Amino acid sequence: MQQLSKNIYKITSDCNVYFLDFTKKIIIDTGKPSTLSFVAKELKQQINPAKIDMVIFTHFHYDHIGNFSLFSNATYYASAVEIAAWEHDPFGAVLNIEVVERFTIPILPL
C-alpha cells in the first residue's frame, strides 16, 4: 500500500483501490475478485476492512466492484447513471456473470 498523502492510500493491482482515512473510513473501488487476498492483506496494514464506513464505486465493471464483500459493514455508493445501468442490464454494467450473481447489496446514489 502506497501512502499518497497524510490520509490517502493506494493499493495498486489490476484496478487501483483507494483508502481515505478521515473521520469516515472510505474505499474507492474494491478491485477484481482474483485480487481479494492481496487487497485484504494490503488494507489490513492500515485498517480492518470491517471498519470501513463507505465504499464508492467509480463504475460497476467487475474489476472495480469484485471485492465488495470485504466491506461487510459499509454503505455502498455509486452515481445515479451507474445504478441505472445496473438496473437496466446487470451483465452489461459488470461484465462478469459470477460477480453479477453475488452483487446483491443495496447501492445508494452519490
Side-chain angles (χ1 to χ4, degrees), residues 7-23:
N7 300 90
I8 301 174
Y9 301 83
K10 178 173 80 168
I11 300 169
T12 302
S13 135
D14 293 342
C15 160
N16 291 326
V17 176
Y18 293 90
F19 168 50
L20 286 60
D21 188 9
F22 297 108
T23 303

Side-chain angles (χ1 to χ4, degrees), residues 18-76:
Y18 293 90
F19 168 50
L20 286 60
D21 188 9
F22 297 108
T23 303
K24 295 271 187 185
K25 308 306 181 193
I26 302 168
I27 293 292
I28 300 175
D29 291 333
T30 65
K32 72 187 212 182
S34 62
T35 64
L36 180 86
S37 296
F38 175 74
V39 170
K41 178 182 162 222
E42 290 293 303
L43 191 57
K44 286 178 184 175
Q45 294 176 34
Q46 295 297 321
I47 190 169
N48 179 333
K51 295 189 180 209
I52 296 298
D53 299 303
M54 298 172 60
V55 173
I56 299 171
F57 298 118
T58 58
H59 61 284
F60 284 165
H61 288 169
Y62 73 97
D63 58 330
H64 290 255
I65 69 167
N67 296 324
F68 70 90
S69 61
L70 276 175
F71 310 103
S72 56
N73 296 315
T75 303
Y76 298 87

Side-chain angles (χ1 to χ4, degrees), residues 3 36 42 52 59 82 87 93 102 108:
Q3 187 168 6
L36 180 86
E42 290 293 303
I52 296 298
H59 61 284
E82 285 298 315
E87 291 170 347
R102 293 186 306 111
L108 300 174

